[in-house]
Structures are given as C-alpha cells and as structure tokens.
Amino acid sequence: MRTAVNTGRILRNKGLISALLANSTYSIPFVVFTAFIAIYAQSVYHVSRYLAYFSFVPFFLTSFLTRLYLTIYVPRSLFRPMLISIMLTMIGITLLYLSPNYVVFLASMSILGIPHGSTYPLSTLMISRGTRIEERNAANSYFAAFQGILGIIVPALFGISADMVGIRLSMALLLIPVITIAIAFVRFYLNSGLEQFRPGTPSSR
C-alpha cells in the first residue's frame, strides 16, 4: 500500500531546506569550475590544454579521498564539518583568484576538492535526518532537481559576467553568493533542531 506524500510539507521540511542551502554554497562554484576552469587556466596562466585539464586531477583526487573518509566515519554533528567545508570553499576561491602561477592554482584546486567531496554527502545526511522514510525519495528528488536547475542557470550567468568583467574577477565574485547563502544556512540550520538527531539514523553511526 502506497502512502500519499504531501509535497508542500516536504518542500517546507527543515532537513531539505538545510540541504539545499548547504549544498548551494558549493554547487554554485562547482558548476562554474566544471564548465570554465580549463578555460580559466589557459586564459590566466597560458598553459597547454593538457595542463589546463590536468587541474581536475588534484581536484577530484582530494574529493575522492574526502568522500572515502566520510564512508568510513559518518560525523555525529553535521554543522561543524559543513562549516569547515564552506570555509574551505571560500579559501579555495580566494586563492584561485589570487594565485600568481599555475602551481598555486593547482593548490587551490586541491583545496576546493575537499568541500566537493564533503558537501553533498553531508547535505544528504541532513535530508535523512529531517525526513521520514516515506518522504525521503521525494525530498531527494527535489534536491537533485534543484541542483540540475543550478547547473543550467549558473554557467550562463557566469559566462555573461566573464564577458563583462573578465573571467578572473568573475571567479572572485563567486564569493558573493557563497557567503550570502552560507549566512542563510548557518542561521537556518542552528534554529532547525536537526543536530538533535534520532538514534538509528545514518548520521548517528
């Protein structure tokens, strides 16, 4: 017997809203990186195509190691690791903008790989913590759909910005939505009560 799912209730769910805010602090710059980072490396550092695309290697390496760690150790508190991820995102973007050469640029990509590996798993844990089992599939579907929308809109806006002010400054301007959404996330999550999780949820292991 199927249980009716209240769409409005799910969209107002604190776990889903927290996850959307938390993941957006990274998914916004991430969709830019996937679309433009090789172009950025060639435009700013005048490297070959090989070296431009090589920047994804340290990025996905640290991302993989971070996700591997989170499969072994699931944090009881989600707020602290999410806050660390947000701070690393800000540091990585700042270093990306200020990097004087390709080597420092690779270091910034390594840093940015850490929140790429942690933000999504932590966000899905927020959904698990804040929803009932029968609501979880719908909540995850809305979550995935929202990320897809960002993947369509953000690269287009970044492309317009790059044409207007340049690709390097546009990278720095990514800090504006990251910081704004981070503030909204911190305020909302700390008042959500989600840290008082129920024993037996995936986040309590």
Side-chain angles (χ1 to χ4, degrees):
M1 179 178 177
R2 298 182 62 183
T3 303
V5 176
N6 188 319
T7 300
R9 176 175 176 172
I10 294 175
L11 293 176
R12 295 190 298 269
N13 182 273
K14 292 181 179 180
L16 176 59
I17 295 173
S18 295
L20 292 175
L21 290 172
N23 203 58
S24 294
T25 62
Y26 193 80
S27 59
I28 289 177
F30 172 65
V31 295
V32 170
F33 299 153
T34 55
F36 291 97
I37 203 64
I39 300 173
Y40 182 89
Q42 284 188 295
S43 300
V44 176
Y45 306 107
H46 308 291
V47 295
S48 66
R49 288 185 180 180
Y50 167 77
L51 289 178
Y53 283 98
F54 180 83
S55 59
F56 286 108
V57 173
F59 177 82
F60 283 113
L61 177 61
T62 54
S63 174
F64 169 75
L65 293 175
T66 302
R67 292 200 180 188
L68 180 62
Y69 174 78
L70 288 176
T71 63
I72 299 171
Y73 173 74
V74 180
R76 294 177 62 86
S77 170
L78 301 181
F79 180 71
R80 180 178 293 180
M82 186 60 76
L83 193 61
I84 293 173
S85 296
I86 293 171
M87 292 176 65
L88 288 175
T89 300
M90 296 178 185
I91 292 171
I93 293 174
T94 302
L95 187 60
L96 184 67
Y97 170 67
L98 297 176
S99 57
N101 54 57
Y102 178 74
V103 174
V104 179
F105 164 73
L106 288 182
S108 70
M109 292 300 292
S110 299
I111 293 171
L112 288 166
I114 298 173
H116 176 259
S118 62
T119 303
Y120 186 88
L122 293 173
S123 298
T124 56
L125 284 174
M126 290 178 186
I127 294 176
S128 297
R129 181 174 297 182
T131 58
R132 294 183 293 188
I133 294 177
E134 62 270 18
E135 299 172 330
R136 208 155 292 162
N137 283 341
N140 283 320
S141 296
Y142 293 134
F143 179 74
F146 181 75
Q147 305 314 312
I149 292 172
L150 289 180
I152 296 171
I153 296 175
V154 173
L157 294 178
F158 184 86
I160 294 172
S161 175
D163 281 340
M164 295 177 62
V165 301
I167 192 170
R168 189 165 195 168
L169 180 57
S170 295
M171 283 290 180
L173 293 178
L174 289 174
L175 287 170
I176 296 176
V178 171
I179 293 172
T180 302
I181 298 171
I183 293 172
F185 163 73
V186 169
R187 295 184 61 179
F188 183 87
Y189 188 75
L190 289 181
N191 292 314
S192 69
L194 292 174
E195 285 294 291
Q196 303 300 319
F197 56 86
R198 299 183 300 274
T201 61
S203 54
S204 64
R205 294 202 302 257

